């Protein structure tokens, strides 16, 4: 670890990147979340932390070092917070700044799990609360979602997609309204900066579950008003003025008077995206295009043999742990043994027996005499497998081949290096009169598959002529829909786009149609796609593609129909916004907290996502009490007849538009009711 850390620091110093050298690096980190597990190691764990801190400081970077989630971080290092909320975190020493190194914008997806997401309003609330209560630095994890290409997933059963519901998604597109609303939150906090850096906040109760924190130094004043009730909206009095605070929200007042933003009131637009299915256009040998329904005729196949085929296979007594055996050179490890059957063995019932295999996981396939006999898999919550499957044995020699596969390796937790994987046993044949335990028998081991050794995934090295396809036109992000396939790995032009597993289905329960952002968030609170495949779409970066012909290679472990897979592109279908009369003005209408402006009122703004696009049509517009979400809005009982015409006049033919949200603009369809404006537009 010391050699590694010294190498990193030397590289940074050599490039002049530390702030002490005039560069951009202002912090360095040593260790990560070790404090969550160090109790399991007792005194040596504490000794290790002291050593790590001393080793880091001795490298003399000229910038502070931090330790995340380590309450007893040795001085002069700074302990920091990771989590969904860090407003109540307090540094171990009062002289240390309050740092939030991982603000979790969502949660990771597991194969076999529902898709988690974190509401925008809650994430914004967490950010504002942190700065309200004296926060100094906040960092998102993740701000840009990603993809676990190849075999790089960060733990057992973690999916290939690592989108994380981040403000910028896995495909590099901004996720609205999360990206836009967080942008506005940080603009509002930036407006408070002169007061925030001048003093510490003072606390003021505004009633039950309502409070203010005020940063005041001389003529500088900034305030945060919070309603931490997770059910009821409140009207509070602050400095003699009434303020409406929605439940679970923070209002930011850069001048201690005017609300420039409330975390529960989103002014930024929403983007409705769709994955457009392009089919799977392949190229036949004569160069002609073949559409998806005929694609099966263009595929070449290589059958992976069952059992041991490599000369470097090794035979040892007993069952070996998989990770230490493979050194993670492959997901796969073959276990092979054979037995001689006379026909009267106590574990037989005629020619039948039951084969029991226990494994640490993650996926197990059983073959007897070269024929498939059963399979099982673990899960993200438990990798353990206990498979009992009926098998048919023949007189004489019988061969038993077990294929164990990992799906990402454990990389966190106390003693995670000892968790292991693979077939641990027992492995037994059982019948009505007895049992044969094969656990201590001689087993032959083969690391990986023959196709891996032959580099069949790389068309430039492999002899088969694999299926070819043409690059989808345009510049929209590309994905492959693996509907129809089982489990495996895919390569495009020799580059792995990751493991696919569309047959791993999420539980039927645990999802909600609409997640209430109010109240503490957890990884299981807001989930979607219950009862559906955890992941169907797999990102193919356009940098992996080339003009003209491209190769695609699939390794399919369970059997599938490649003619059913298709290409998709991610496109913005609509841009929408929903702004009410009691929303604050758009953040950009405030020039500075010190400058008194004439209140212009809230406004709805729309902007096409791509340069060169203009708003071509208004799909829906309503001023009154509309409801629904982008793509499925409906008019309420109260609706202005002028809404569509006003929106069309303001927005059609331009790349962006702003529409004041007021009865002056639309007429008043229902007096005494707080009204909203909803607009859905198409860009082209």
């Amino acid at each position: 670890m010391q050699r590694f850390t010294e190498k990193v620091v030397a590289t940074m110093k050599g490039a002049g990147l530390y702030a002490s050298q005039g560069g951009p690096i202002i912090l360095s980190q040593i260790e990560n979340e070790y404090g969550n597990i160090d109790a399991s190691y007792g005194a040596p764990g504490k000794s290790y932390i002291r050593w790590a801190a001393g080793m880091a400081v001795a490298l003399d970077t000229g910038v502070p070092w931090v330790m995340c989630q380590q309450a007893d971080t040795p001085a002069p290092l700074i302990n920091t917070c990771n989590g969904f909320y860090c407003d109540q975190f307090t540094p171990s020493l009062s002289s240390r700044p309050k740092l939030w190194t991982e603000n979790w914008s969502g949660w990771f997806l597991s194969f076999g799990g529902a898709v988690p997401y974190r509401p925008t309003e809650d994430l914004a609330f967490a950010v504002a609360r942190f700065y309200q209560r004296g926060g100094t630095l906040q960092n998102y994890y993740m701000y840009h979602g990603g993809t676990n290409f190849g075999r790089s997933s960060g733990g057992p059963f973690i999916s290939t997609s690592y989108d994380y519901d981040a403000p910028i998604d896995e495909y590099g597109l901004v996720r609205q309204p999360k990206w836009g609303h967080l942008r506005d939150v940080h603009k509002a906090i930036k407006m408070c900066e002169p007061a925030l850096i001048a003093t510490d906040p003072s606390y003021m109760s505004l009633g039950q579950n309502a409070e203010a924190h005020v940063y005041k130094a001389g003529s500088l004043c900034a305030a945060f008003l919070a309603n931490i009730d997770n059910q009821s909206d409140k009207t509070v009095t602050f400095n003699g003025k009434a303020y409406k605070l929605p439940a679970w929200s923070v209002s930011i007042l850069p001048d201690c008077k005017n609300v420039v933003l409330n975390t529960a009131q989103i002014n930024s637009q929403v983007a409705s995206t769709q994955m457009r299915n392009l089919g799977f256009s392949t190229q036949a040998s004569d160069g002609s295009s073949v559409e998806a329904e005929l694609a099966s005729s263009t595929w070449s196949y290589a059958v992976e043999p069952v059992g041991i085929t490599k000369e470097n296979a090794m035979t040892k007594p007993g069952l070996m742990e998989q990770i230490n055996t493979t050194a993670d050179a492959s997901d796969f490890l073959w276990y092979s043994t054979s037995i001689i059957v006379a026909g009267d063995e106590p574990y037989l019932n005629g020619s039948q027996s039951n084969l029991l295999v226990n494994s640490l996981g993650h996926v197990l396939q059983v073959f007897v005499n070269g024929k498939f006999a059963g399979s099982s898999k673990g899960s993200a919550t438990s990798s353990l497998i206990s498979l009992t499957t009926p098998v048919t044995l023949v007189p004489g020699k019988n061969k038993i081949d077990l294929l164990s596969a990992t799906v990402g390796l454990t990389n966190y937790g106390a003693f995670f290096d000892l968790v292991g994987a693979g077939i641990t046993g027992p492995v037994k044949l059982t019948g009505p009169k007895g049992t044969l335990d094969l656990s201590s028998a001689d087993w032959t081991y083969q690391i990986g598959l023959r196709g891996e050794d032959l580099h069949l995934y790389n068309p430039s090295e492999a002899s088969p002529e694999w299926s070819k396809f043409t690059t989808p036109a345009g510049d929209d992000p590309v994905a492959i829909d693996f509907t129809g396939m089982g489990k495996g790995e895919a390569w495009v032009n020799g580059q792995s786009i990751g493991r696919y597993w569309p047959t791993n289905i999420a539980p039927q329960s645990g999802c909600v149609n609409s997640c209430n952002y109010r109240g503490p968030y957890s990884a299981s609170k807001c989930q979607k796609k219950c009862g559906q495949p955890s992941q169907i779409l797999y990102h193919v970066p356009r940098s992996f593609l080339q003009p003209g012909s491209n190769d695609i290679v699939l390794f399919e472990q369970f059997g599938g129909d490649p003619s059913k897979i298709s290409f998709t592109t991610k496109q913005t279908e609509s841009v929408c916004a929903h702004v009410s009369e009691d929303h604050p003005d758009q953040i950009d209408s405030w020039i500075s907290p010190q400058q008194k402006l004439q209140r212009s009122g809230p406004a709805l703004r729309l902007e096409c996502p791509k340069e060169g696009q203009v708003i071509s049509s208004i799909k829906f517009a309503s001023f009154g009490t509309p409801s629904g979400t982008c793509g499925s809005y409906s008019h309420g009982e109260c609706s202005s007849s002028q809404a569509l015409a006003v929106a069309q006049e303001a927005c059609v033919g331009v790349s962006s538009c702003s529409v004041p949200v007021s009865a002056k603009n639309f007429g008043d369809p229902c007096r005494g009711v707080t009204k909203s404006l909803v607009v859905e537009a198409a860009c082209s």
Side-chain angles (χ1 to χ4, degrees):
M1 176 179 169
Q2 182 168 350
R3 289 196 304 273
F4 173 78
T5 308
E6 287 173 345
K7 176 67 174 178
V8 172
V9 169
T11 302
M12 300 302 105
K13 281 185 177 180
L17 293 177
Y18 285 107
S20 56
Q21 302 172 290
I25 299 177
I26 62 170
L27 288 173
S28 294
Q29 177 183 335
I30 195 75
E31 262 306 339
N32 186 58
E33 298 184 351
Y34 190 78
N36 295 344
I37 62 169
D38 62 5
S40 300
Y41 295 93
K46 300 299 183 183
S47 176
Y48 164 71
I49 284 298
R50 291 191 296 271
W51 169 84
M55 181 268 292
V57 171
L59 296 177
D60 191 27
T61 63
V63 302
W65 286 88
V66 301
M67 277 187 173
C68 306
Q69 295 293 90
Q70 190 72 44
D72 57 352
T73 295
L77 278 71
I78 304 166
N79 64 308
T80 71
C81 179
N82 294 348
F84 293 119
Y85 307 94
C86 283
D87 53 288
Q88 297 187 49
F89 165 73
T90 302
S92 55
L93 294 176
S94 59
S95 58
R96 293 172 173 169
K98 182 172 177 174
L99 308 182
W100 190 358
T101 37
E102 289 185 17
N103 178 359
W104 300 332
S105 61
W107 201 242
F108 59 82
L109 171 66
S110 297
F111 283 125
V115 178
Y117 63 97
R118 187 178 185 187
T120 297
E121 298 93 334
D122 176 68
L123 182 54
F125 171 80
V127 172
R129 283 288 286 168
F130 177 72
Y131 288 105
Q132 175 176 0
R133 294 168 62 95
T136 299
L137 174 148
Q138 182 265 158
N139 172 67
Y140 291 101
Y141 183 101
M142 307 287 291
Y143 192 78
H144 192 324
T147 307
N148 291 314
F149 296 116
R151 301 169 49 246
S152 62
S153 61
F157 297 92
I158 291 181
S159 68
T160 300
S161 171
Y162 205 81
D163 185 83
Y164 221 83
D165 199 38
I168 301 176
D169 71 14
E170 176 180 5
Y171 299 92
L173 302 178
V174 295
R175 172 173 276 116
Q176 297 286 28
K178 185 169 280 188
W179 185 88
H181 192 46
L182 292 175
R183 170 204 60 198
D184 292 348
V185 168
H186 288 286
K187 284 183 177 181
I189 293 170
K190 181 71 173 176
M191 292 171 68
C192 301
E193 183 180 42
L196 295 182
I197 64 174
T199 184
D200 291 325
S202 60
Y203 167 82
M204 178 188 305
S205 174
L206 300 177
Q208 186 177 8
N209 290 328
E211 58 190 33
H213 286 75
V214 180
Y215 292 79
K216 184 171 177 56
S219 61
L220 299 174
C221 189
F224 295 77
L225 313 183
N227 177 5
I228 57 176
D229 194 297
N230 59 17
Q231 293 183 341
S232 302
D233 298 347
K234 298 180 184 300
T235 299
V236 301
T237 301
F238 174 71
N239 286 349
K241 185 178 177 181
Y243 295 88
K244 293 181 180 179
L245 296 177
W248 204 251
S249 78
V250 176
S251 285
I252 301 175
L253 293 68
D255 58 359
C256 285
K257 296 177 183 178
N258 294 291
V259 175
V260 300
L261 182 135
N262 179 273
T263 58
Q265 296 176 318
I266 298 175
N267 276 342
S268 62
Q269 70 183 28
V270 179
S272 173
T273 59
Q274 66 168 350
M275 301 301 293
R276 182 187 173 201
N277 194 311
L278 303 177
F280 183 26
S281 178
T282 65
Q283 288 184 339
S285 58
D286 62 0
S288 61
S289 178
V290 183
E291 292 307 316
E293 60 269 18
L294 301 178
S296 57
S297 65
T298 72
W299 289 87
S300 301
Y301 297 86
V303 177
E304 179 68 30
V306 170
I308 308 301
T309 59
K310 298 184 183 182
E311 294 181 356
N312 61 354
M314 54 187 172
T315 301
K316 293 189 176 182
L319 296 164
M320 298 174 64
E321 189 276 324
Q322 182 167 350
I323 299 173
N324 283 302
T325 303
T326 66
D328 194 32
S330 170
D331 280 357
F332 299 97
L333 179 64
W334 280 106
Y335 296 68
S336 182
T337 193
S338 60
I339 59 171
I340 304 296
V341 172
D344 58 353
E345 283 80 2
Y347 56 82
L348 284 177
N349 182 7
S351 62
Q352 303 294 307
S353 184
N354 287 316
L355 179 63
L356 166 69
V357 184
N358 282 350
S359 171
L360 282 175
H362 306 141
V363 180
L364 171 67
Q365 288 175 286
V366 176
F367 301 85
V368 175
N369 295 325
K371 295 182 179 180
F372 176 72
S375 68
S376 188
K377 67 179 187 301
S379 68
T381 54
S382 176
S383 297
L384 299 177
I385 295 172
S386 183
L387 171 67
T388 300
T389 186
V391 297
T392 300
L393 302 175
V394 299
K397 186 176 180 180
N398 289 261
K399 188 179 178 185
I400 298 173
D401 294 299
L402 309 177
L403 180 60
S404 178
T406 54
V407 187
L409 303 184
T410 302
N411 61 8
Y412 186 71
F415 304 104
F416 79 84
D417 50 316
L418 305 180
V419 170
I423 298 166
T424 55
V427 177
K428 297 179 179 179
L429 287 166
T430 62
K433 297 180 181 179
T435 297
L436 174 64
D437 193 334
L438 300 173
S439 306
S440 300
D442 285 346
W443 289 85
T444 301
Y445 296 90
Q446 175 181 299
I447 298 169
L449 307 176
R450 186 175 71 171
E452 291 178 303
D453 279 6
L454 295 176
H455 293 181
L456 294 183
Y457 51 83
N458 193 332
S460 65
E461 298 183 43
S463 56
E465 187 68 23
W466 296 119
S467 189
K468 296 183 178 295
F469 66 92
T470 54
T471 299
D475 59 359
D476 293 315
V478 176
I480 296 179
D481 183 332
F482 274 95
T483 296
M485 301 304 290
K487 174 190 177 293
E489 188 172 349
W491 293 262
V492 171
N493 294 329
Q495 299 193 69
S496 175
I497 63 170
R499 301 181 185 93
Y500 63 83
W501 202 352
T503 53
N504 210 336
I505 308 298
Q508 293 288 339
S509 60
C511 295
V512 292
N513 291 329
S514 178
C515 184
N516 186 350
Y517 71 86
R518 301 168 181 86
Y521 178 77
S522 68
S524 60
K525 179 181 178 182
C526 302
Q527 296 184 336
K528 56 187 176 182
K529 297 192 175 180
C530 284
Q532 300 179 43
S534 300
Q535 186 179 352
I536 283 289
L537 300 171
Y538 293 80
H539 183 203
V540 183
R542 284 192 175 268
S543 60
F544 284 17
L545 302 174
Q546 58 195 25
S549 178
N550 296 267
D551 294 281
I552 180 169
V553 179
L554 311 178
F555 168 65
E556 173 54 55
Q557 191 173 351
F558 292 125
D561 183 355
S563 70
K564 292 182 178 179
I565 72 174
S566 59
F567 276 97
T568 65
T569 56
K570 190 167 188 178
Q571 300 176 344
T572 299
E573 191 172 35
S574 300
V575 291
C576 308
H578 186 168
V579 178
S580 76
E581 290 179 306
D582 64 0
H583 274 53
D585 294 11
Q586 286 284 341
I587 191 74
D588 290 336
S589 69
W590 301 89
I591 297 175
S592 74
Q594 288 77 35
Q595 184 169 352
K596 187 175 181 179
L597 296 176
Q598 180 69 33
R599 177 177 168 81
S600 59
L604 179 147
R605 290 187 181 179
L606 295 175
E607 183 176 2
C608 290
K610 287 186 175 181
E611 187 176 351
Q613 287 184 326
V614 297
I615 297 171
S616 55
S617 66
I618 302 298
K619 295 182 175 182
F620 182 91
S622 181
F623 179 75
T625 56
S627 61
T629 57
C630 188
S632 59
Y633 289 123
S634 60
H635 297 282
E637 295 181 2
C638 158
S639 181
S640 168
S641 61
Q642 303 176 44
L644 181 60
V646 171
Q648 288 174 331
E649 182 179 355
C651 298
V652 172
V654 295
S655 60
S656 63
C657 62
S658 180
V659 185
V661 181
S662 70
K664 291 181 180 179
N665 207 23
F666 295 96
D668 194 341
C670 43
R671 296 184 181 277
V673 175
T674 300
K675 291 166 282 294
S676 296
L677 173 62
V678 161
V679 178
E680 177 181 359
C683 292
S684 62

